[in-house]
Amino acid sequence: MKPTRRMKLSAMLLAAALCVAALCLCLIRMQGALTMRSQQENTAQKMQMMEALTASARETAHSTQAMFDGIYRSKASTLAYLIAGDAEQTPDQAQMEEYRSILNVTNVLVIGPAGRPLAAAQPAHADFTRMRYNQLRTPFDTQRPSEPFTVEEEGGSLRYYGAPIDAQRMAVVVLDPQELAQLMRDTGSWAGILGNVRLGLGGYAFAVSARDYTILYHPDEALAGKDALAAGIGVAQLEDGAFDLISVNGERFYAGVAKVEDVYILCAVPESELVSSGRTTIVLITAIFLIVILSVIAYAFFLDEANAGADSLRPIGHGWFVNRIVARKLLTVSGIGLALLFAASLYLQTLFTLSEQSVSNRQRLAEVEETMARYEADVALLQERYNRSYLSKAEAAAYVLTRHPELATRKGLSGLCEALEAQSVNVFDETGTMTATSSGYSNFSLSYDPNDQSYAFRQLLQGVESLVQPAQPDDISGRYLQYIGVTLRDEDGDADGFVQIAMEPEQLAHALANLNLAAVLRGVRTGRGGFAFAVDKETLTFSYHPEEKFIGASALDHGLTQAQLRDGFSDYLTLDYTRCFAASLETRTDILFVAVPASALGQGRLAVSAVTAGIGCVCLLLLCLLLCVNRGAATEEEAVPEDNPQMVDVHMPDGSIKKTESAVSRFDHTVISWRNRTPEQRLFSVIGVMLTVLAALICLGTAVYGQAESSVLRYVLSGRWTRSVNIFSLTASLMVICAVSVASMLLQRLLMLMARVFDAHTATVCRLLVNLVRYVSVIAELYYCFALFGVDTATLLASAGILTLVIGLGAKELVSDILAGLFIIFEGEFRVGDIVTIGDCRGTVLEIGVRTTKIEIPGKNIKIFNNSSISGVINMTRQHSFASCTVGIEYGESLERVEEVLARELPLMRERLPAIKDGPFYKGVKELGASSVDIMILALCAEGDRIQLCRDLNREIKLIFDRNNINIPFPQVVLNYREENEQP
Amino acid sequence: MKRYKLALLAGLLALCALALGGCSQRGGTKGTLRVGVRAEINNFGYLNPETHRYSGLEIDLANAIAEALGYAQAEFLTAQPEMREALLENGKADCVIACFSVTPERRERFDFSTPYYTDSLRVMVERSTLLETPEQLGGCLVGVLRGSNAAQQLLAAFPGLDVRFAELDHYSALSNALESGEIDAVCLDGCIAQAYMNDDRALFDAIIAPQAYAVATPKGSPLSAKIASAVDALLASGELSRIIDKWN
């Protein structure tokens, strides 16, 4: 390489580096801005959800507390009823202790109007006369139970419930509210609210107190309770509605802040996640751009080396020239490269956007699943709690009735019913017949039918202590009621009947309503304009949709298909003329979907791609300009590539002359030496190497970073997308094809190497194997890709039999032509421009079609073969053919003289016949004929010239022989005329 | 061997640097502004027990003043309410920014800058007492911090109110007594009341004796005028309201 050229190459490489850097920087900027914007939108949505979530959690906590207080308030009322029932005198300590144990509370007291204790189960430390207990003493004024409150003390905290007995006394139930605290922790705590919140892939929500900046909740338990300021969060960043980069314990997050009540809720996504999602795209696009730019530069230099278009220099002044042919070629390559760049950019952006959305959809679904599971657990817990409290009421009723059997009248039971806040109280005797009730239904006895609701209570008569029946619609009234029974015993402790109370579980019904799918789905947001909907599995109607009008409508009528209504769907679907990207999850009764309108996805995708292409365009134009402008005509005469047997000039159908690889070389899989390659061949080799390196890097990247949860490649490889024609199956197909092709190529290379090294037999086997590997890999790729694209390959295989039948019946010829055509191309028997002999027809291949092959035969006629009829092809595309000429001389002629003449004349003949590449050579005596000695003359020429050259050789030999008085024997006929009158 | 020498050299250099740093800190008292601040009031002056770092509005203010006066840094001393005056008088602190309210008596003993924050006394009660207005406090026992003028201010604001006062040593003791019911109400500074609020407690709407917090310096200190003008500049530039915003 000349120094000037080397300098130019370095300059070009520098320019390329600058271009790539510029593109890279620009992409980082744009991608960064884009990611930030979309993340901000997502986070903002999440925060709206947070507010709703907090409000609903607050409501739940509130109703939980109300429920809890309801239970104990009614215990206070029961206590008041029990004490009132014991007549005027205040019960003693033992009596109070008994009450305490029935009610299962920490302490029970009776206090006077000023707060003076009159009786207590346990000594009370608190001074109820203080203002602090004003609220407890309200029953004296209102004659209603007091609002409960908690007093924290050093020994622990106590919660007070009061109920009036009479004007001078009131009952107080004291409770250690540990259970309540636990309940509140479960339902209303920040861990309960924020624990299930996920943002992006590794993001989460945490809470910071606005009062003293302690971290109230953080997924990392070590951080909970710590000072947020010490953890690295700035006070200035903690403002309602702010979005900022914050650092928590050294890790940086992109976070949004919402202030709810006295707490800042932060929704944070690791910065690394934001960066990494864009980084892969940027790296890949930059790599592709690098390949394009390097290809263009390399091509320019290869063209320059081949001295292409040296005669088409056009001066542009000041001694500068522009090479038009090179310019045209470079621009073509650049154009193709740009189109590729744009397509790749768009493709990658789409891939990454969709895979991220897909993962996020899945997360939303997982959240919904978790929420529903949590609700169910909550309801179970609630039910259990209610059962316990109801049982204690029933026990209280049993206690009262055992001590005061005279209360078992309608009036007495009504009072008891009121104190217990029950719907009704019933007393049954030992035969299972109702003896008294507070309700209007009398004359009831337990059923003997196991299917009846009341049958279960018979076991109470057989000694079972108590029974809590699940809530169900009442047999008689149809109301949603829960029955609880406790056995009554006589003095000997034998069961002599039972008391049954009916409760209306309002709170439970409320909780069940909360479990409603709609309540859960309403809060789900994903992406811009995203929403959730549910389709009933049985009826295939919408069981929930944000728009009321859809609910109850058939899903199939609104654009969904049967195939989409299944678990694990993740693809585009059309819902009411809107294309959405959705994911699904199957629950017991419904299929849940979260969907984002397609229009909201990947906004700015096109812009980024266009900018990429724009920058690429400018850079490439600049480079092309630099590359095809030269100072001074290219006077330096490069060594013209020597004649090599592997490359042959062929006349293409359009009249141009192109270089092609000779058939021998092609069939032989020999590698053409670099010197002998055309610039295009060199370019392809260079691109091939670069692509291989890129593929290897991608494989390496997948291996190293692919395990990361956030990796798109991981998502594509996981195969959790829907099998249909979509970007993921396309990507997976590309990956499979790349991998299989590389593997098969390596295997083929190895086999060819073996073929070359070992003996002929091995070589034959190896060549066969190479062929086999090639077909198997292609078929495997096709089969696998079809499977990825959602084609039912098993059916495809099964239906191969039907296919055969069809072929056998009608389209046999057509199919065999097509197959034969494919085989010709696959095996490379010949290609366009080759000179071949098929049967007895010799000509140049014009076109290999799917069904036919066109060959130009001498006389510029075109002969068309059906591909299936092509057999016994002789491919004569090679460097040299031999034109031969056989000529006879007389036996009488001196062979030495003839040889001497030929030795003199033949070199001269070469000058006259330019088609001769080498020779002509005298090749000795071919045959001692009947009347002539036949000698042979051979000349080396191109296959295209061979036939004409044969004729020219014949002519020349004849002329030479004539000049040198060498006779060519020919059959001579001696005619004898018979004399007419000559008689024998 | 070479590596050892290098390490030795690096160690020596580090020692020198430390020594120099120490010299400059100790030698130049002018390099640090010693500020007495609160250690237990969130958002004003709070000493994190784990990191031993102060944070809050008054800390930011102190840093801003130190910067304005050309000090390298501000050094913080914990100033409990009863220690604030002593810190200034015995010269341990250059100034006090510790919820120190301006009163005529204090004006005679100390120099004050323009007030940077206005707070007031608030009355806090447990909701279960069913008290809603200060007028209902008749006959109640009201807790105040020992040494504070809250009792006088409350009586001045509601003359004729029949209340008894209990003086306790710490805010936490006041809070505990309020919880157990030993006292019926607490009268204390608004900013501190916020720190002891919870869902079961209420603050009366009444704002009693608004008091202005200002930076205090020893009487006649050469720093008085400089600090006062620095505070004025912070006020004028809006920096101060930005700091207050930040901590609200």
Side-chain angles (χ1 to χ4, degrees):
Chain A
M1 201 183 266
K2 294 218 163 187
T4 50
R5 183 173 287 171
R6 195 170 298 162
M7 240 171 69
K8 188 173 174 184
L9 181 64
S10 343
M12 283 300 137
L13 287 179
L14 192 69
L18 284 178
C19 290
V20 170
L23 181 81
C24 195
L25 276 178
C26 198
L27 277 180
I28 288 174
R29 271 282 171 78
M30 282 193 76
Q31 197 81 44
L34 216 62
T35 331
M36 281 298 177
R37 209 181 63 192
S38 74
Q39 190 55 51
Q40 182 161 343
E41 269 172 22
N42 281 345
T43 311
Q45 270 179 355
K46 203 76 189 182
M47 305 215 307
Q48 277 180 3
M49 263 176 75
M50 283 296 110
E51 281 165 31
L53 204 64
T54 330
S56 98
R58 283 279 168 270
E59 197 188 324
T60 312
H62 190 75
S63 70
T64 308
Q65 182 162 1
M67 176 222 48
F68 184 88
D69 286 339
I71 292 172
Y72 286 93
R73 231 164 39 198
S74 108
K75 283 193 182 185
S77 300
T78 311
L79 178 66
Y81 178 82
L82 288 174
I83 293 168
D86 280 346
E88 290 301 308
Q89 84 270 19
T90 300
D92 59 3
Q93 198 266 337
Q95 184 71 52
M96 292 297 280
E97 181 57 31
E98 203 174 337
Y99 289 147
R100 192 197 69 77
S101 95
I102 293 173
L103 297 173
N104 189 20
V105 293
T106 310
N107 198 0
V108 290
L109 302 136
V110 178
I111 59 172
R116 195 169 45 84
L118 301 176
Q122 313 265 323
H125 302 295
D127 180 358
F128 296 112
T129 57
R130 284 175 178 162
M131 302 278 268
R132 181 80 167 95
Y133 298 93
N134 281 355
Q135 193 168 319
L136 181 66
R137 296 193 305 268
T138 49
F140 286 115
D141 303 327
T142 62
Q143 295 305 315
R144 295 190 47 74
S146 67
E147 287 295 321
F149 62 93
T150 305
V151 176
E152 314 252 348
E153 283 180 47
E154 276 163 41
S157 50
L158 293 173
R159 197 164 175 83
Y160 294 91
Y161 299 85
I165 302 173
D166 50 37
Q168 294 306 310
R169 295 180 300 171
M170 68 171 282
V172 177
V173 166
V174 186
L175 180 75
D176 183 358
Q178 261 181 15
E179 198 184 351
L180 179 65
Q182 182 60 43
L183 257 179
M184 300 310 277
R185 265 201 295 280
D186 288 348
T187 53
S189 76
W190 291 109
I193 299 171
L194 302 179
N196 293 316
V197 174
R198 297 273 171 285
L199 265 98
L201 298 162
Y204 53 81
F206 62 99
V208 174
S209 162
R211 204 174 281 157
D212 57 4
Y213 303 105
T214 49
I215 299 178
L216 297 175
Y217 165 75
H218 193 281
D220 179 2
E221 286 186 5
L223 273 175
K226 291 280 162 59
D227 187 19
L229 306 186
I233 303 170
V235 182
Q237 292 170 325
L238 292 172
E239 294 293 337
D240 194 17
F243 291 92
D244 206 350
L245 278 171
I246 60 165
S247 65
V248 181
N249 258 13
E251 198 185 350
R252 279 163 70 81
F253 291 87
Y254 182 71
V257 186
K259 191 175 180 190
V260 179
E261 292 165 19
D262 241 1
V263 173
Y264 294 112
I265 297 177
L266 286 94
C267 296
V269 184
E271 194 192 13
S272 58
E273 183 183 316
L274 293 185
V275 175
S276 80
S277 72
R279 195 165 47 194
T280 321
T281 342
I282 295 172
V283 166
L284 284 175
I285 293 177
T286 313
I288 291 169
F289 184 59
L290 187 68
I291 289 180
V292 169
I293 230 169
L294 285 182
S295 305
V296 169
I297 294 176
Y299 191 40
F301 278 86
F302 296 149
L303 284 173
D304 196 26
E305 270 177 26
N307 225 354
D311 47 351
S312 61
L313 289 179
R314 169 162 291 206
I316 49 171
H318 303 289
W320 291 87
F321 293 86
V322 61
N323 191 329
R324 291 175 62 203
I325 289 188
V326 169
R328 199 162 61 212
K329 289 190 172 184
L330 285 184
L331 284 179
T332 314
V333 172
S334 306
I336 296 169
L338 268 185
L340 277 177
L341 187 66
F342 182 72
S345 168
L346 205 57
Y347 163 77
L348 285 172
Q349 302 270 355
T350 313
L351 176 68
F352 279 77
T353 313
L354 286 191
S355 63
E356 267 167 28
Q357 189 59 51
S358 197
V359 171
S360 118
N361 279 356
R362 232 154 247 293
Q363 271 181 358
R364 294 297 96 75
L365 285 173
E367 278 175 25
V368 170
E369 205 175 16
E370 268 176 35
T371 310
M372 304 214 5
R374 205 174 62 232
Y375 267 133
E376 272 174 42
D378 281 357
V379 168
L381 203 71
L382 205 61
Q383 201 148 19
E384 201 242 1
R385 203 176 302 274
Y386 268 104
N387 288 349
R388 251 193 299 141
S389 84
Y390 291 163
L391 184 61
S392 107
K393 284 188 184 195
E395 279 168 354
Y399 175 82
V400 171
L401 289 169
T402 312
R403 285 185 49 133
H404 304 284
E406 74 281 1
L407 277 177
T409 61
R410 168 166 295 206
K411 186 163 176 291
L413 289 184
S414 292
L416 186 59
C417 181
E418 208 171 295
L420 294 174
E421 292 176 4
Q423 290 301 313
S424 64
V425 179
N426 311 315
V427 180
F428 290 78
D429 62 13
E430 69 277 10
T431 62
T433 312
M434 192 193 281
T435 54
T437 175
S438 65
S439 73
Y441 307 99
S442 48
N443 297 331
F444 181 80
S445 60
L446 296 181
S447 166
Y448 284 98
D449 181 359
N451 293 323
D452 279 355
Q453 187 183 1
S454 60
Y455 175 80
F457 284 94
R458 287 208 164 270
Q459 51 184 293
L460 292 180
L461 301 175
Q462 283 135 31
V464 174
E465 210 48 62
S466 59
L467 173 71
V468 182
Q469 215 173 30
Q472 51 189 293
D474 185 53
D475 273 355
I476 304 167
S477 63
R479 285 163 72 196
Y480 197 66
L481 287 179
Q482 183 165 12
Y483 285 97
I484 301 96
V486 171
T487 312
L488 293 172
R489 294 180 186 278
D490 55 18
E491 290 81 12
D492 304 333
D494 294 333
D496 69 341
F498 65 93
V499 59
Q500 184 194 50
I501 63 170
M503 302 296 305
E504 192 167 25
E506 277 172 49
Q507 295 286 344
L508 193 63
H510 181 70
L512 285 172
N514 244 347
L515 185 59
N516 188 346
L517 199 63
V520 181
L521 291 185
R522 200 168 292 136
V524 177
R525 291 275 178 285
T526 167
R528 191 189 318 184
F531 58 92
F533 63 93
V535 177
D536 191 283
K537 269 203 287 196
E538 296 284 315
T539 60
L540 296 184
T541 54
F542 288 103
S543 46
Y544 172 74
H545 191 284
E547 285 180 54
E548 286 285 333
K549 62 172 182 173
F550 282 102
I551 296 175
S554 163
L556 298 179
D557 291 348
H558 284 91
L560 294 182
T561 63
Q562 194 82 48
Q564 290 162 347
L565 294 171
R566 60 179 174 78
D567 192 22
F569 175 80
S570 177
D571 201 353
Y572 281 104
L573 53 77
T574 309
L575 178 66
D576 206 35
Y577 309 113
T578 315
R579 229 164 99 79
C580 299
F581 190 73
S584 73
L585 176 83
E586 192 173 341
T587 63
R588 267 205 313 275
T589 54
D590 298 87
I591 302 167
L592 312 181
F593 284 87
V594 284
V596 196
S599 55
L601 272 180
Q603 289 188 333
R605 200 164 53 178
L606 207 64
V608 171
S609 304
V611 168
T612 310
I615 295 174
C617 187
V618 172
C619 292
L620 283 173
L621 277 180
L622 213 70
L623 276 180
C624 285
L625 194 72
L626 289 175
L627 284 167
C628 58
V629 171
N630 268 314
R631 186 165 179 84
T635 45
E636 45 174 307
E637 205 49 53
E638 281 281 311
V640 177
E642 67 188 39
D643 242 8
N644 76 87
Q646 288 170 322
M647 300 305 300
V648 190
D649 281 334
V650 290
H651 296 260
M652 295 307 283
D654 61 359
S656 60
I657 298 173
K658 298 253 161 89
K659 285 219 178 277
T660 190
E661 201 182 339
S662 73
V664 178
S665 163
R666 248 147 55 192
F667 294 156
D668 208 34
H669 298 279
T670 44
V671 180
I672 308 169
S673 71
W674 184 257
R675 289 179 61 89
N676 291 332
R677 290 189 202 183
T678 59
E680 289 76 20
Q681 279 174 329
R682 293 183 187 186
L683 176 63
F684 285 130
S685 327
V686 168
I687 292 178
V689 168
M690 287 195 290
L691 285 180
T692 314
V693 170
L694 181 64
L697 285 180
I698 291 176
C699 290
L700 201 70
T702 316
V704 176
Y705 297 109
Q707 298 311 313
E709 194 59 44
S710 63
S711 163
V712 170
L713 290 172
R714 185 185 158 95
Y715 178 71
V716 170
L717 290 175
S718 74
R720 281 184 302 191
W721 28 269
T722 304
R723 299 284 182 281
S724 74
V725 182
N726 59 34
I727 196 150
F728 301 121
S729 52
L730 190 70
T731 311
S733 303
L734 282 178
M735 286 162 97
V736 166
I737 289 174
C738 278
V740 174
S741 302
V742 167
S744 109
M745 193 193 71
L746 287 178
L747 196 58
Q748 286 176 43
R749 284 276 158 90
L750 186 73
L751 285 168
M752 287 317 296
L753 208 65
M754 282 167 65
R756 210 162 299 149
V757 171
F758 296 113
D759 62 354
H761 179 68
T762 324
T764 317
V765 174
C766 284
R767 277 164 186 268
L768 192 71
L769 282 179
V770 167
N771 234 325
L772 192 72
V773 165
R774 199 178 297 163
Y775 289 124
V776 168
S777 64
V778 167
I779 289 169
E781 277 167 17
L782 279 180
Y783 188 82
Y784 195 73
C785 294
F786 272 128
L788 290 180
F789 283 120
V791 177
D792 194 346
T793 38
T795 323
L796 200 70
L797 276 190
S799 64
I802 303 169
L803 204 69
T804 322
L805 198 70
V806 173
I807 293 166
L809 285 178
K812 179 168 172 269
E813 285 296 318
L814 180 72
V815 172
S816 60
D817 279 345
I818 293 171
L819 281 179
L822 289 180
F823 276 93
I824 289 169
I825 293 166
F826 268 138
E827 298 195 334
E829 288 175 15
F830 49 82
R831 47 171 95 150
V832 175
D834 283 1
I835 297 167
V836 294
T837 299
I838 301 173
D840 53 357
C841 182
R842 179 184 174 279
T844 312
V845 179
L846 281 185
E847 182 188 308
I848 305 169
V850 173
R851 203 177 67 80
T852 58
T853 297
K854 300 184 181 71
I855 288 173
E856 188 185 84
I857 55 173
K860 295 285 175 194
N861 295 322
I862 291 171
K863 174 148 184 164
I864 298 168
F865 289 93
N866 280 357
N867 285 340
S868 59
S869 68
I870 296 176
S871 61
V873 181
I874 303 170
N875 193 328
M876 292 172 294
T877 315
R878 50 181 187 153
Q879 184 65 16
H880 299 305
S881 286
F882 293 99
S884 70
C885 156
T886 310
V887 59
I889 53 172
E890 286 178 343
Y891 274 99
E893 187 65 67
S894 155
L895 200 55
E896 286 91 343
R897 193 178 79 87
V898 173
E899 283 168 355
E900 186 229 336
V901 166
L902 285 177
R904 195 179 63 239
E905 291 283 348
L906 286 182
L908 300 174
M909 193 197 290
R910 184 178 184 178
E911 284 161 22
R912 286 195 293 276
L913 300 177
I916 295 175
K917 289 270 162 57
D918 202 4
F921 307 106
Y922 164 63
K923 288 289 183 186
V925 177
K926 190 184 177 193
E927 194 181 358
L928 294 170
S931 52
S932 63
V933 178
D934 296 344
I935 61 168
M936 192 171 182
I937 306 214
L938 276 184
L940 229 59
C941 65
E943 174 62 27
D945 300 330
R946 189 171 59 86
I947 293 175
Q948 182 59 45
L949 189 62
C950 284
R951 296 181 205 129
D952 290 342
L953 280 178
N954 281 337
R955 175 175 174 275
E956 287 291 329
I957 294 291
K958 172 72 171 66
L959 291 175
I960 290 168
F961 282 10
D962 284 353
R963 276 201 298 278
N964 293 283
N965 297 322
I966 300 167
N967 290 329
I968 299 170
F970 52 93
Q972 293 172 30
V973 179
V974 178
L975 291 175
N976 291 315
Y977 295 94
R978 192 177 58 179
E979 295 292 326
E980 250 176 45
N981 47 0
E982 198 178 303
Q983 292 294 322
Chain B
M1 262 329 268
K2 209 169 191 180
R3 200 174 285 174
Y4 285 116
K5 276 183 184 169
L6 263 178
L8 206 68
L9 198 67
L12 275 174
L13 275 175
L15 265 177
C16 285
L18 269 178
L20 275 174
C23 287
S24 67
Q25 269 183 354
R26 197 162 306 158
T29 323
K30 296 233 165 184
T32 40
L33 180 68
R34 295 164 306 156
V35 188
V37 292
R38 298 296 285 262
E40 76 289 7
I41 306 180
N42 273 302
N43 289 336
F44 282 85
Y46 179 73
L47 176 64
N48 187 314
E50 282 168 33
T51 59
H52 300 292
R53 273 166 57 181
Y54 292 88
S55 63
L57 185 162
E58 291 176 331
I59 310 304
D60 282 4
L61 177 63
N63 280 325
I65 291 173
E67 196 188 338
L69 296 188
Y71 284 99
Q73 65 186 64
E75 185 189 332
F76 297 108
L77 306 159
T78 300
Q80 297 300 346
E82 67 279 7
M83 293 160 52
R84 293 180 292 199
E85 301 178 357
L87 268 181
L88 284 174
E89 279 168 345
N90 63 21
K92 278 190 180 159
D94 295 328
C95 64
V96 155
I97 311 177
C99 296
F100 202 46
S101 54
V102 186
T103 59
E105 304 89 70
R106 283 173 179 167
R107 264 196 193 288
E108 284 171 12
R109 295 164 62 196
F110 307 106
D111 286 335
F112 282 99
S113 72
T114 316
Y116 54 85
Y117 193 88
T118 306
D119 198 7
S120 66
L121 287 175
R122 304 294 296 269
V123 176
M124 183 162 74
V125 293
E126 289 282 345
R127 286 185 200 279
S128 73
T129 56
L130 307 176
L131 296 172
E132 277 162 3
T133 59
E135 288 77 17
Q136 293 173 337
L137 284 174
C140 287
L141 184 61
V142 176
V144 292
L145 192 70
R146 197 181 302 284
S148 81
N149 57 3
Q152 296 93 295
Q153 298 283 11
L154 182 64
L155 285 176
F158 298 96
L161 199 62
D162 171 28
V163 288
R164 290 168 297 133
F165 289 100
E167 289 201 329
L168 292 168
D169 289 328
H170 296 289
Y171 288 119
S172 55
L174 281 173
S175 175
N176 289 343
L178 186 67
E179 178 66 48
S180 69
E182 286 164 40
I183 54 175
D184 302 317
V186 174
C187 185
L188 74 179
D189 291 342
C191 61
I192 297 157
Q194 290 296 340
Y196 288 99
M197 269 300 283
N198 63 35
D199 291 344
D200 291 333
R201 292 177 176 177
L203 286 175
F204 288 165
D205 289 335
I207 288 172
I208 303 153
Q211 47 189 332
Y213 294 155
V215 184
T217 38
K219 196 76 186 170
S221 160
L223 278 172
S224 298
K226 290 185 192 169
I227 288 179
S229 66
V231 172
D232 286 340
L234 289 172
L235 266 171
S237 68
E239 176 72 11
L240 191 62
S241 55
R242 200 191 57 76
I243 292 175
I244 291 172
D245 260 7
K246 174 180 158 186
W247 289 97
N248 265 341

